[in-house]
Amino acid sequence: MYITCLDLEGVLVPEIWIAFSEATGIPELRRTTRDEPDYDKLMAFRLGILREHGLGLKEIQQVIATIDPMPGAREFLDALRELGQVVIISDTFEQFAKPLMKKLGWPTIFCNTLEVARDGTITGYQMRCPQSKLTTVKALQQAGFETIASGDSFNDLAMIQAGKAGFLFRSTEAIKAAHPEIPAFEAYDDLLEAIKTAMQ
């Protein structure tokens, strides 16, 4: 039995932090896991910027409310779920993800949790487990699933490489050049066909 594991941001929805960067005019917040492989380092940087500008969860959620899935993402996800089980494995946070999951038809998502003070200041975060994407894929495999995975960033590579098949989707030229062995796609229809073929 197959289960397809997808990244969220950059694959199904726009990058939340980039949208927030554009809304606030803070260019430093454009930095994502496409640019920084060390997630803890990236989040420490982001939280420092938020503190510096007096921004918290409320302001980020206001921007997230304006974000829609990428064109064709909902249809792709629906078609993929007809083929088998699908789980979104993301390094985002449950406080960010909920309105986006509603727009995607409530798919299953495994993500992390923010630590938030009463005044809305984001004070930290809790990762669901170490190396959350790879750890989750290995757990699914131990539960009897064959995994197929797709993502766009450095932190997706481990889960992409660990399964029966894996694909880059709308990734950067640098990541694609560093991993020519991983098929890369730009269109949902092409990714869907690749996943169908991998299941045969």
Side-chain angles (χ1 to χ4, degrees):
M1 188 173 184
Y2 288 96
I3 189 163
T4 303
C5 303
L6 298 176
D7 179 35
L8 177 64
E9 296 177 64
V11 174
L12 298 172
V13 303
E15 294 279 353
I16 291 169
W17 288 97
I18 290 178
F20 189 60
S21 168
E22 292 172 352
T24 58
I26 304 172
E28 294 90 342
L29 289 175
R30 289 186 62 85
R31 192 165 180 79
T32 71
T33 51
R34 288 171 163 228
D35 312 299
E36 174 55 67
D38 187 328
Y39 190 73
D40 288 326
K41 181 178 177 181
L42 177 63
M43 279 304 299
F45 173 76
R46 288 168 169 168
L47 295 184
I49 296 291
L50 293 179
R51 283 192 297 271
E52 181 182 329
H53 291 270
L55 298 168
L57 180 59
K58 178 183 175 183
E59 290 80 11
I60 299 175
Q61 287 179 327
Q62 287 172 341
V63 172
I64 291 171
T66 70
I67 296 175
D68 289 320
M70 293 178 175
R74 172 73 184 264
E75 294 78 7
F76 163 74
L77 194 54
D78 288 345
L80 193 56
R81 291 162 79 182
E82 290 182 13
L83 299 178
Q85 298 298 312
V86 179
V87 61
I88 297 171
I89 307 176
S90 173
D91 279 340
T92 194
F93 305 97
E94 57 183 346
Q95 294 93 335
F96 291 1
K98 190 172 182 180
L100 299 171
M101 293 305 98
K102 182 177 182 179
K103 292 178 180 181
L104 286 170
W106 297 112
T108 298
I109 182 168
F110 297 158
C111 59
N112 305 308
T113 304
L114 288 170
E115 297 170 350
V116 185
R118 288 192 176 188
D119 65 357
T121 300
I122 301 172
T123 58
Y125 58 97
Q126 293 181 354
M127 300 298 283
R128 186 172 44 82
C129 58
Q131 292 185 291
S132 60
K133 296 189 179 188
L134 178 60
T135 300
T136 302
V137 163
K138 287 185 174 180
L140 291 169
Q141 291 167 352
Q142 289 176 347
F145 290 98
E146 290 265 24
T147 62
I148 297 170
S150 183
D152 69 323
S153 298
F154 284 109
N155 66 341
D156 298 314
L157 292 172
M159 75 170 182
I160 287 172
Q161 294 166 330
K164 181 185 177 186
F167 310 102
L168 290 169
F169 186 71
R170 296 181 181 172
S171 188
T172 66
E173 292 305 317
I175 292 174
K176 288 188 285 188
H179 295 277
E181 76 282 2
I182 303 176
F185 301 102
E186 299 295 321
Y188 288 119
D189 287 347
D190 294 336
L191 179 58
L192 184 63
E193 284 305 311
I195 293 171
K196 282 183 181 178
T197 300
M199 290 181 176
Q200 293 173 357

